[in-house]
Short mmCIF file of all heavy atoms in Angstrom, two decimals:
data_model
loop_
_atom_site.label_atom_id
_atom_site.label_comp_id
_atom_site.label_asym_id
_atom_site.label_seq_id
_atom_site.Cartn_x
_atom_site.Cartn_y
_atom_site.Cartn_z
N SER M 60 -6.98 14.52 9.43
CA SER M 60 -7.18 14.89 10.98
C SER M 60 -5.89 15.13 11.78
O SER M 60 -6.04 15.48 12.88
CB SER M 60 -8.06 13.86 11.67
OG SER M 60 -9.36 13.76 11.04
N LYS M 61 -4.77 14.93 11.15
CA LYS M 61 -3.55 15.08 11.77
C LYS M 61 -3.21 16.55 11.84
O LYS M 61 -3.38 17.33 10.96
CB LYS M 61 -2.41 14.26 11.18
CG LYS M 61 -2.31 12.85 11.59
CD LYS M 61 -1.04 12.21 11.18
CE LYS M 61 -0.97 10.79 11.79
NZ LYS M 61 -2.12 9.87 11.55
N ASP M 62 -2.67 17.05 12.93
CA ASP M 62 -2.27 18.50 12.97
C ASP M 62 -0.97 18.65 12.28
O ASP M 62 -0.15 17.70 12.05
CB ASP M 62 -2.09 18.88 14.51
CG ASP M 62 -0.89 18.15 15.18
OD1 ASP M 62 -0.99 17.14 15.72
OD2 ASP M 62 0.30 18.76 15.08
N ASP M 63 -0.80 19.85 11.74
CA ASP M 63 0.31 20.22 10.74
C ASP M 63 1.71 19.81 11.44
O ASP M 63 2.51 19.21 10.66
CB ASP M 63 0.24 21.69 10.41
CG ASP M 63 -1.08 21.99 9.62
OD1 ASP M 63 -1.49 21.15 9.12
OD2 ASP M 63 -1.29 23.14 9.47
N GLU M 64 1.88 20.27 12.61
CA GLU M 64 3.33 20.00 13.29
C GLU M 64 3.55 18.62 13.26
O GLU M 64 4.77 18.01 12.98
CB GLU M 64 3.32 20.62 14.60
CG GLU M 64 4.77 20.51 15.25
CD GLU M 64 4.82 21.23 16.54
OE1 GLU M 64 3.82 21.90 16.92
OE2 GLU M 64 5.89 21.16 17.27
N SER M 65 2.57 17.79 13.67
CA SER M 65 2.82 16.33 13.92
C SER M 65 3.12 15.59 12.54
O SER M 65 3.97 14.76 12.49
CB SER M 65 1.68 15.61 14.65
OG SER M 65 1.42 16.07 15.94
N LEU M 66 2.40 16.01 11.51
CA LEU M 66 2.59 15.41 10.26
C LEU M 66 3.91 15.66 9.66
O LEU M 66 4.54 14.80 9.16
CB LEU M 66 1.36 15.97 9.19
CG LEU M 66 1.40 15.34 7.91
CD1 LEU M 66 1.07 13.81 7.96
CD2 LEU M 66 0.41 16.11 7.00
N VAL M 67 4.32 17.00 9.60
CA VAL M 67 5.69 17.39 9.27
C VAL M 67 6.66 16.51 10.09
O VAL M 67 7.57 16.01 9.42
CB VAL M 67 5.90 18.76 9.38
CG1 VAL M 67 7.37 19.11 9.05
CG2 VAL M 67 5.01 19.52 8.43
N ASP M 68 6.58 16.48 11.32
CA ASP M 68 7.62 15.72 12.12
C ASP M 68 7.67 14.25 11.83
O ASP M 68 8.71 13.66 11.85
CB ASP M 68 7.20 15.93 13.61
CG ASP M 68 7.64 17.40 14.10
OD1 ASP M 68 8.29 18.09 13.38
OD2 ASP M 68 7.11 17.72 15.30
N ILE M 69 6.45 13.63 11.53
CA ILE M 69 6.45 12.22 11.16
C ILE M 69 7.24 12.06 9.86
O ILE M 69 8.06 11.14 9.74
CB ILE M 69 5.01 11.76 11.05
CG1 ILE M 69 4.42 11.69 12.46
CG2 ILE M 69 4.96 10.43 10.27
CD1 ILE M 69 2.88 11.48 12.42
N PHE M 70 6.99 12.88 8.86
CA PHE M 70 7.67 12.71 7.55
C PHE M 70 9.16 12.98 7.71
O PHE M 70 9.97 12.30 7.13
CB PHE M 70 7.04 13.60 6.54
CG PHE M 70 5.99 12.92 5.70
CD1 PHE M 70 4.69 12.99 6.25
CD2 PHE M 70 6.21 12.20 4.56
CE1 PHE M 70 3.58 12.44 5.56
CE2 PHE M 70 5.18 11.53 3.84
CZ PHE M 70 3.87 11.67 4.33
N LYS M 71 9.48 13.91 8.58
CA LYS M 71 10.90 14.21 8.91
C LYS M 71 11.64 13.05 9.45
O LYS M 71 12.71 12.65 9.11
CB LYS M 71 11.03 15.45 9.74
CG LYS M 71 10.90 16.71 9.14
CD LYS M 71 11.08 17.81 10.27
CE LYS M 71 11.01 19.23 9.56
NZ LYS M 71 11.19 20.20 10.63
N ALA M 72 10.95 12.31 10.31
CA ALA M 72 11.47 11.07 10.92
C ALA M 72 11.79 10.10 9.92
O ALA M 72 12.87 9.33 10.03
CB ALA M 72 10.55 10.50 12.11
N PHE M 73 10.89 9.80 8.93
CA PHE M 73 11.20 8.89 7.92
C PHE M 73 12.36 9.31 7.09
O PHE M 73 13.15 8.50 6.77
CB PHE M 73 9.87 8.58 7.12
CG PHE M 73 8.93 7.70 7.70
CD1 PHE M 73 7.91 8.06 8.54
CD2 PHE M 73 9.06 6.25 7.41
CE1 PHE M 73 7.01 7.23 9.15
CE2 PHE M 73 8.15 5.42 7.93
CZ PHE M 73 7.09 5.87 8.82
N CYS M 74 12.31 10.51 6.77
CA CYS M 74 13.34 11.11 5.82
C CYS M 74 14.77 10.97 6.42
O CYS M 74 15.75 10.61 5.78
CB CYS M 74 13.07 12.53 5.49
SG CYS M 74 14.17 13.27 4.38
N GLN M 75 14.78 11.30 7.72
CA GLN M 75 16.22 11.27 8.42
C GLN M 75 16.74 9.80 8.60
O GLN M 75 17.88 9.62 8.53
CB GLN M 75 16.06 11.73 9.89
CG GLN M 75 15.89 13.25 9.84
CD GLN M 75 15.26 13.72 11.19
OE1 GLN M 75 15.07 12.98 12.25
NE2 GLN M 75 15.12 15.05 11.28
N ARG M 76 15.83 8.84 8.48
CA ARG M 76 16.25 7.38 8.47
C ARG M 76 16.43 6.79 7.02
O ARG M 76 16.84 5.60 6.89
CB ARG M 76 15.26 6.56 9.19
CG ARG M 76 15.33 6.67 10.73
CD ARG M 76 14.22 5.86 11.48
NE ARG M 76 14.44 4.43 11.25
CZ ARG M 76 14.68 3.67 12.30
NH1 ARG M 76 14.79 4.07 13.54
NH2 ARG M 76 14.75 2.38 11.97
N GLY M 77 16.08 7.62 6.01
CA GLY M 77 16.16 7.11 4.73
C GLY M 77 15.13 6.05 4.32
O GLY M 77 15.30 5.26 3.54
N GLU M 78 13.99 6.16 5.01
CA GLU M 78 12.88 5.23 5.00
C GLU M 78 11.78 5.78 4.03
O GLU M 78 11.35 7.02 4.20
CB GLU M 78 12.32 4.88 6.36
CG GLU M 78 13.27 4.18 7.33
CD GLU M 78 13.26 2.67 7.18
OE1 GLU M 78 12.49 2.18 6.36
OE2 GLU M 78 13.93 2.12 8.00
N SER M 79 11.27 4.91 3.18
CA SER M 79 10.17 5.21 2.28
C SER M 79 8.92 5.44 3.03
O SER M 79 8.76 4.74 4.01
CB SER M 79 10.09 4.29 1.16
OG SER M 79 11.19 4.38 0.29
N VAL M 80 8.05 6.26 2.73
CA VAL M 80 6.71 6.33 3.43
C VAL M 80 5.69 6.96 2.55
O VAL M 80 6.02 7.75 1.60
CB VAL M 80 6.80 7.30 4.75
CG1 VAL M 80 7.30 8.59 4.34
CG2 VAL M 80 5.65 7.24 5.52
N ILE M 81 4.47 6.53 2.71
CA ILE M 81 3.31 7.26 1.94
C ILE M 81 2.36 7.68 3.08
O ILE M 81 2.20 7.08 4.14
CB ILE M 81 2.60 6.28 1.00
CG1 ILE M 81 1.98 5.09 1.51
CG2 ILE M 81 3.50 6.09 -0.30
CD1 ILE M 81 1.12 4.31 0.61
#
Side-chain angles (χ1 to χ4, degrees):
S60 303
K61 278 190 172 52
D62 67 275
D63 293 343
E64 183 179 356
S65 296
L66 185 64
V67 172
D68 286 345
I69 288 169
F70 270 88
K71 280 182 178 178
F73 277 92
C74 182
Q75 287 166 1
R76 288 178 62 120
E78 298 270 0
S79 297
V80 62
I81 58 171

